[in-house]
Amino acid sequence: MIITCGPVGNQRILDLTLPAERSKIAVLISGGIDSAILYYLMLLENKNTGYRHDIRPISIMRSEGSVYFSKLVVSNMNEKFNLIKQDAIIVGNPSLPEDKQVRSGVFH
């Protein structure tokens, strides 16, 4: 999927291609607009290419409410794309200080 984005006079081309060698892809959803748009575009590309990927939303517990807001994003996308109802998978170690949460959420 080729997308032109950015303000007039400073537009960029985004080539969003889901990797053929990976069937499962995790997307970190913070609940903000940038991760919501990325998740939407990935789901749209997956739909356009025959649903060859299992795209899983994940979130990390943070004080600004990422778990709450990510649930709203995921719920909206479930409805929009007629997906099986799922919530973002919460990853990370909530006992760590917030600045250590992101690294604790990495999994293989």
Side-chain angles (χ1 to χ4, degrees):
M1 170 186 308
I2 304 293
I3 304 162
T4 303
C5 50
V8 175
N10 190 22
Q11 292 191 333
R12 307 290 170 92
I13 302 295
L14 172 65
D15 180 0
L16 179 66
T17 304
L18 300 177
E21 66 276 5
R22 303 223 183 243
S23 62
K24 293 181 182 179
I25 301 172
V27 181
L28 181 61
I29 308 293
S30 67
I33 191 70
D34 53 347
S35 63
I37 290 171
L38 176 63
Y39 186 47
Y40 169 79
L41 291 173
M42 292 181 78
L43 290 173
L44 182 60
E45 179 65 1
N46 197 35
K47 178 182 176 184
N48 291 340
T49 57
Y51 293 105
R52 294 183 302 205
H53 295 82
D54 178 9
I55 300 175
R56 298 181 182 195
I58 62 172
S59 190
I60 296 173
M61 201 169 297
R62 309 242 343 229
S63 63
E64 81 279 354
S66 58
V67 170
Y68 170 77
F69 293 112
S70 67
K71 285 184 180 192
L72 297 175
V73 169
V74 172
S75 176
N76 185 283
M77 296 304 164
N78 286 340
E79 189 174 316
K80 182 165 199 60
F81 287 94
N82 295 316
L83 300 173
I84 295 171
K85 303 301 181 214
Q86 65 179 345
D87 284 329
I89 300 163
I90 308 304
V91 298
N93 181 348
S95 68
L96 292 174
E98 189 168 312
D99 64 335
K100 307 284 190 236
Q101 280 294 314
V102 173
R103 288 202 182 276
S104 79
V106 175
F107 62 94
H108 305 279

